[in-house]
């Protein structure tokens, strides 16, 4: 659809992280004040101090990091329906 779905989790403790995780699993993220949901075709991530960043498990540099959706850039091969 040409946009990123971004979830920001505000969980400063193990108990807070467990609560956020449970809300996500039970599909009640909208009811959790510690979860912010945003959408956009360009996302910039910043942190103080700068932090390492990963993309799909690979090193992607450090923050600040800006990523853009490139519509049509991903080609997917899949078997035809039977």
């Amino acid at each position: 659809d040409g946009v990123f779905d971004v979830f920001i989790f505000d969980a400063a403790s193990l108990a807070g992280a467990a609560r956020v995780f449970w809300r996500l699993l039970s599909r009640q993220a909208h009811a959790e004040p510690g979860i912010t949901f945003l959408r956009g075709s360009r996302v910039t991530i910043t942190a103080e101090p700068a932090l390492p960043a990963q993309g799909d498990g690979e090193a992607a540099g450090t923050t600040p990091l800006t990523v853009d959706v490139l519509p049509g850039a991903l080609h997917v091969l899949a078997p035809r329906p039977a």
Side-chain angles (χ1 to χ4, degrees):
D1 62 0
V3 295
F4 290 111
D5 293 327
V6 179
F7 287 86
I8 301 170
F9 306 109
D10 181 15
S13 66
L14 184 57
R19 185 183 66 247
V20 165
F21 184 69
W22 174 252
R23 292 284 192 186
L24 289 172
L25 284 179
S26 61
R27 297 181 185 257
Q28 299 175 6
H30 62 280
E32 175 60 46
I35 301 174
T36 303
F37 175 69
L38 305 168
R39 293 174 55 101
S41 59
R42 171 177 274 193
V43 175
T44 300
I45 302 166
T46 60
E48 251 333 296
L51 297 172
Q54 293 185 7
D56 198 25
E58 300 291 327
T62 60
T63 58
L65 177 72
T66 299
V67 291
D68 295 289
V69 172
L70 301 174
L74 178 64
H75 299 280
V76 178
L77 299 176
R80 291 187 176 155

